[in-house]
Amino acid sequence: MEVFFDTYFDFSFMSEHFDEVLAGFWVTIKLSLVGGFFSLLWGLILSVLRQLPGRLLAPVRWLTIAYIDALRGIPLLLVILGLSAGLATLASEGTIPREIGIPQWFGESDPFWYGVIALTLTYGAYMAEVYRAGIEAVPRGQMEASRSLGMSHGQAMRFVIVPQAVRKVIPPLLNDFIALMKDTALISVLGLVETVQTGSDLYSEFFNPSGYTLGAFMFLIVTIPLARLVDWQIKKQDEKFQRGIP
Amino acid sequence: MSSEVILRVEGLKKSYGKLDVLKDINCAIAEGEVVCVIGPSGSGKSTMLRCLNMLELPDGGRIELHGNEIYGGGKTHDLDVLRREVGMVFQSFNLFPHMSAKENVSIAQVRVRGRKRSEADARSVELLGKVGLAEKVDEYPDRLSGGQQQRVAIARALAMDPEVMLFDEVTSALDPELVKGVLDVMRELADSGMTMVVVTHEMNFAREVADRVIFMDQGFIVEEGNPDDVLGNPSADRTKQFLGLVLSR
């Protein structure tokens, strides 16, 4: 047991290298926030495309469904590797501009942006399903009542359906965000020095895995409160619809 | 009847897959008329009502509002005009749960009729007072009883100043002691001259309030006429059988 603690909980090592791990964790945070933001947006676009009405737009719906199914069924790691390799190859051949193939926007490295794009492509697909479930969970009568008052489909969505759906999707979207944040670790395969890569670098140099432990703690400081927030949100919603039975 | 026809339905058909719910419906609703539609469940009466508001798309026939074709030849026209002029109240109320009673009544006035918020709110408060809910204007639907919610729903439809009001079994989901309050509001509305089409199982209401009763069965109008004839002395066997079952309770 003592060996275990000495190996993983070397506190003097942790305090010595705290700044390095924190710098890595800051990259994780940035990656999560930027990737999370674009995933939310892309997911919303996908869910709207998937629900476009009419026969004429059926191909758009099918393509969107195919995309969502595909990206939900492929490992994120494969998307990260395939995307970075593909874009870098195309850029070096000159098929696409270098600024797009090897993106280094706003002072961030190209692995960072490959990570953001891969997270967006994959988590956008997950989040599109969450939005859809939220909209479908609003009873049919709400749309009928809105339309019977003369509102257009768009007005009914904007003033009646979406405001109710938003409350229902916040907990599952937060859950997806927690998963996304943990999955940013996969981008370390591209050499991005985020939390996991920092721990790995420290281990290679000093043969001490406590850097991993410190990184894990930093994750938990963010993810546990987020998970509690999800539970609290769900409980708050349930209380509105349940009575009695404590 | 001499007054102007507001809604005219000719040869209306509707089916779900192989099930023909409406086979050949013909009727006309005149201004100021109160028409009660009765019949066994599955007879198509709710579907007919929902077709009048295009919440269900018919599969054939014609619907006219003030002589203008709203549905015909498989196509719809001016749906928004139709829905603005035709108010609907549902069995399950369908109030917007994230809005107070007043906001429920105001939202379409502002967004569809283009009224100012203050003007719409004033009208909402007035209408909620009329349906006996003056003290509940700021309550949310989950704090209201079923009967109160249904009266808010009636006020919400009235706020659009419709020419016709459709009622789809509006008391069927209510506890018995709450039914009267809703029926009283509808009775007052009928007395004020509102044109109404009421799908209902309340035979006494039909007898006392209706100008005309329509009996439907298996997608057809079997019999129609003034309430005393249809309810008191029906001519069709199917009507007699139905009324025998309903009135003997």
Side-chain angles (χ1 to χ4, degrees):
Chain A
M1 201 63 188
E2 218 169 303
V3 181
F4 174 81
F5 269 99
D6 287 347
T7 311
Y8 285 104
F9 294 88
D10 185 339
F11 288 113
S12 65
F13 183 84
M14 286 189 202
S15 66
E16 215 171 296
H17 297 282
F18 185 84
D19 289 351
E20 288 156 83
V21 179
L22 189 65
F25 190 63
W26 173 234
V27 175
T28 297
I29 294 282
K30 276 194 289 185
L31 202 49
S32 307
L33 291 179
V34 178
F37 172 77
F38 285 114
S39 300
L40 276 174
L41 208 64
W42 181 227
L44 188 63
I45 293 170
L46 287 172
S47 74
V48 170
L49 289 178
R50 184 178 181 149
Q51 299 196 8
L52 286 175
R55 215 168 289 168
L56 210 68
L57 294 167
V60 179
R61 289 198 293 275
W62 295 334
L63 275 176
T64 313
I65 291 169
Y67 170 90
I68 291 172
D69 284 352
L71 269 289
R72 288 202 307 163
I74 299 173
L76 177 59
L77 184 55
L78 199 149
V79 178
I80 293 167
L81 291 170
L83 182 97
S84 61
L87 285 181
T89 309
L90 287 173
S92 66
E93 286 170 353
T95 318
I96 55 172
R98 216 185 139 71
E99 298 78 51
I100 291 172
I102 306 173
Q104 293 177 335
W105 309 315
F106 302 105
E108 297 291 345
S109 63
D110 43 308
F112 179 90
W113 289 112
Y114 290 142
V116 167
I117 298 169
L119 286 169
T120 302
L121 291 178
T122 299
Y123 274 88
Y126 286 125
M127 289 180 181
E129 291 296 279
V130 172
Y131 286 121
R132 182 170 72 109
I135 286 170
E136 282 176 1
V138 177
R140 217 179 116 80
Q142 293 288 310
M143 177 58 90
E144 291 185 349
S146 311
R147 298 309 295 276
S148 80
L149 290 166
M151 288 189 217
S152 66
H153 181 86
Q155 284 179 320
M157 288 299 270
R158 188 167 145 217
F159 300 117
V160 177
I161 309 296
V162 171
Q164 292 181 61
V166 163
R167 287 154 220 230
K168 292 175 203 273
V169 299
I170 288 173
L173 284 180
L174 275 173
N175 262 334
D176 273 356
F177 181 75
I178 294 171
L180 178 147
M181 188 171 170
K182 294 188 295 174
D183 272 353
T184 58
L186 290 168
I187 296 152
S188 62
V189 295
L190 300 181
L192 182 71
V193 188
E194 39 66 73
T195 317
V196 174
Q197 189 62 45
T198 307
S200 180
D201 290 350
L202 288 172
Y203 179 71
S204 314
E205 198 175 339
F206 301 101
F207 209 57
N208 188 329
S210 290
Y212 288 130
T213 315
L214 183 56
F217 276 131
M218 289 185 182
F219 266 99
L220 290 176
I221 283 171
V222 177
T223 53
I224 289 179
L226 273 177
R228 285 290 151 276
L229 183 65
V230 173
D231 290 350
W232 177 74
Q233 283 270 347
I234 291 172
K235 190 160 168 265
K236 205 175 66 170
Q237 284 186 1
D238 285 351
E239 275 168 1
K240 266 195 105 167
F241 300 105
Q242 289 172 357
R243 39 192 132 156
I245 313 168
Chain B
M1 206 165 278
S2 58
S3 39
E4 196 198 347
V5 169
I6 292 186
L7 268 174
R8 186 186 297 281
V9 176
E10 286 170 358
L12 189 68
K13 289 185 176 63
K14 172 73 189 174
S15 39
Y16 298 109
K18 281 183 183 163
L19 183 70
D20 297 327
V21 184
L22 300 179
K23 286 161 190 161
D24 181 18
I25 301 291
N26 296 283
C27 66
I29 313 292
E31 198 176 338
E33 203 182 11
V34 177
V35 178
C36 282
V37 185
I38 61 170
S41 43
S43 59
K45 49 193 195 308
S46 280
T47 307
M48 182 193 73
L49 201 69
R50 291 164 60 83
C51 283
L52 292 182
N53 204 3
M54 290 290 153
L55 287 178
E56 301 286 347
L57 197 61
D59 293 316
R62 257 170 70 82
I63 298 177
E64 272 179 14
L65 179 72
H66 279 307
N68 299 316
E69 185 174 274
I70 293 292
Y71 175 86
K75 286 206 173 80
T76 59
H77 318 277
D78 300 326
L79 266 192
D80 292 340
V81 175
L82 170 82
R83 292 202 179 115
R84 249 178 277 151
E85 303 308 334
V86 181
M88 177 123 180
V89 185
F90 301 85
Q91 183 178 345
S92 50
F93 329 139
N94 296 340
L95 290 188
F96 307 134
H98 57 303
M99 299 180 195
S100 69
K102 188 173 70 184
E103 288 167 326
N104 262 281
V105 183
S106 291
I107 176 87
Q109 296 185 62
V110 174
R111 300 297 172 184
V112 180
R113 284 283 189 223
R115 289 180 191 149
K116 281 201 207 99
R117 171 66 67 178
S118 55
E119 201 183 315
D121 281 349
R123 176 100 172 102
S124 302
V125 170
E126 179 202 329
L127 281 167
L128 286 167
K130 265 192 185 161
V131 299
L133 294 172
E135 269 113 67
K136 303 287 185 184
V137 291
D138 292 317
E139 291 287 7
Y140 282 78
D142 62 351
R143 308 261 306 171
L144 299 173
S145 75
Q148 291 169 337
Q149 288 192 49
Q150 195 57 296
R151 283 183 275 151
V152 175
I154 293 174
R156 179 174 69 176
L158 287 175
M160 299 299 289
D161 300 322
E163 296 189 49
V164 192
M165 286 280 284
L166 309 177
F167 293 85
D168 188 9
E169 298 192 30
V170 295
T171 56
S172 298
L174 296 178
D175 291 341
E177 78 272 21
L178 303 176
V179 169
K180 187 173 177 296
V182 172
L183 290 183
D184 285 348
V185 166
M186 290 167 67
R187 209 180 302 254
E188 251 171 62
L189 198 56
D191 290 344
S192 75
M194 175 61 77
T195 312
M196 296 162 63
V197 184
V198 184
V199 169
T200 188
H201 291 297
E202 300 288 338
M203 295 304 151
N204 287 327
F205 179 83
R207 195 192 309 271
E208 289 162 27
V209 180
D211 298 310
R212 184 153 54 108
V213 171
I214 291 178
F215 174 73
M216 280 183 71
D217 189 32
Q218 298 186 354
F220 291 106
I221 292 179
V222 176
E223 188 166 356
E224 64 180 302
N226 78 53
D228 291 335
D229 289 346
V230 177
L231 298 173
N233 186 21
S235 54
D237 287 344
R238 192 64 196 88
T239 319
K240 285 179 196 161
Q241 196 189 350
F242 172 75
L243 289 173
L245 286 170
V246 173
L247 297 177
S248 67
R249 276 191 308 168

